[in-house]
């Protein structure tokens, strides 16, 4: 049972924690439970992914302030462009709050687009590798792997941990929910990144050549 798909039994926080713990530390069991259970429900996993994306942002923001206080506005250049009429120092708190709210809304929109594109690309390669479940299943696998965002609590190398763990969860999730071998599941996750990297490399080469 995926607790976050039915939060009535354990409550919101209980379901959130239980799903996070199980998806990260018992992924084989978790994705076997996910397979075939309420495949049409994509809103719960979507909100789960959004929650941990914001957690990731808050933790990253915290370390940004701690270690890069001097270069804060250089790293977040968008903040000074939000209302320019805050020129008095006493209004700086309001200025920062509005900037953070704007960033949260912008991140939510961008992450939704990213999640949709990632699902479409990964699902295409899952089908090539012999996967039989629908695109909603792939979306649920990706969304429920988003709990790795909490590893941003570790400064400097937290992103690397999150990225590696995220890829591993996708491999396990695709394997368990589609019933394909591990090698094909790895290829289904690896090929999209190779594909995107080649496109970016070609784009950069074109820019360099034209200059």
């Amino acid at each position: 049972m995926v607790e976050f798909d039915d939060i009535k039994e354990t409550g919101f926080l209980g379901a959130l924690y239980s799903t996070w713990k199980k998806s990260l530390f018992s992924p084989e069991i978790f994705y076997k439970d996910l397979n075939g259970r309420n495949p049409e429900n994509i809103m719960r996993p979507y909100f789960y992914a959004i929650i941990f994306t914001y957690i990731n942002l808050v933790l990253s923001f915290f370390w940004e302030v701690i270690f890069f206080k001097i270069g804060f506005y250089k790293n977040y250049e968008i903040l000074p462009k939000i209302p320019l009429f805050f020129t008095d120092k006493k209004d700086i708190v309001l200025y920062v709050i509005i900037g953070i709210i704007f960033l949260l809304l912008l991140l939510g929109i961008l992450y939704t687009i990213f999640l949709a594109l990632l699902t479409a690309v990964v699902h295409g390669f899952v089908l090539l590798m012999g996967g039989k479940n629908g695109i909603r299943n792939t979306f649920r696998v990706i969304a429920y792997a988003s709990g790795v965002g909490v590893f941003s609590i570790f400064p400097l190398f937290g992103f690397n941990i999150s990225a590696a763990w995220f890829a591993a969860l996708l491999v396990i999730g695709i394997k368990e929910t589609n019933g394909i071998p591990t090698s094909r599941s790895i290829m289904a996750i690896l090929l999209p990144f190779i594909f995107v990297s080649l496109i970016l490399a070609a784009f950069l080469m074109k820019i360099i050549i034209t200059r």
Side-chain angles (χ1 to χ4, degrees):
M1 176 183 177
V2 178
E3 286 79 359
F4 203 76
D5 275 347
D6 187 10
I7 61 177
K8 293 181 181 179
E9 294 187 9
T10 56
F12 177 79
L13 292 178
L16 183 69
Y17 173 73
S18 179
T19 301
W20 172 81
K21 181 180 177 181
K22 195 173 181 180
S23 64
L24 262 64
F25 303 108
S26 302
E28 294 89 354
I29 298 174
F30 175 81
Y31 283 112
K32 282 181 181 178
D33 289 343
L34 185 71
N35 190 24
R37 289 180 179 271
N38 203 10
E40 299 301 314
N41 183 0
I42 62 172
M43 292 308 297
R44 290 282 172 79
Y46 169 72
F47 284 122
Y48 178 89
I50 287 293
I51 288 169
F52 281 99
T53 297
Y54 283 138
I55 290 175
N56 182 14
L57 177 67
V58 170
L59 294 174
S60 299
F61 180 81
F62 171 78
W63 289 116
E64 192 75 14
V65 173
I66 296 297
F67 291 110
F68 305 105
K69 185 180 292 185
I70 297 177
F72 177 73
Y73 285 109
K74 293 182 180 178
N75 292 325
Y76 293 92
E77 292 180 357
I78 195 169
L79 284 177
K81 298 178 182 178
I82 312 183
L84 297 177
F85 51 83
F86 291 119
T87 56
D88 196 329
K89 290 184 178 181
K90 68 180 181 180
D91 293 326
I92 190 64
V93 174
L94 180 61
Y95 183 16
V96 172
I97 290 174
I98 292 176
I100 291 174
I101 292 174
F102 179 82
L103 279 178
L104 290 174
L105 293 174
L106 180 63
L107 178 69
I109 295 171
L110 292 178
Y111 184 74
T112 300
I113 296 172
F114 167 77
L115 198 56
L117 292 176
L118 180 62
T119 299
V121 173
V122 170
H123 185 68
F125 284 95
V126 169
L127 294 178
L128 288 176
M129 293 297 113
K132 297 180 181 179
N133 282 335
I135 192 169
R136 289 174 183 264
N137 177 79
T138 303
F139 178 87
R140 285 164 59 80
V141 169
I142 294 173
Y144 277 128
S146 301
V148 296
V150 298
F151 293 117
S152 294
I153 195 172
F154 300 110
L156 304 179
F157 55 86
F159 174 79
N160 296 327
I161 296 175
S162 297
W165 207 310
F166 182 73
L169 291 180
L170 292 189
V171 169
I172 295 171
I174 295 300
K175 173 191 173 185
E176 296 296 340
T177 58
N178 286 274
I180 60 176
T182 302
S183 58
R184 290 192 178 188
S185 182
I186 292 174
M187 292 302 293
I189 300 304
L190 188 60
L191 287 175
F193 290 101
I194 296 176
F195 178 70
V196 172
S197 297
L198 289 175
I199 292 177
L200 291 175
F203 179 72
L204 290 174
M205 287 296 295
K206 184 176 180 181
I207 293 177
I208 293 173
I209 293 173
T210 53
R211 287 187 177 181

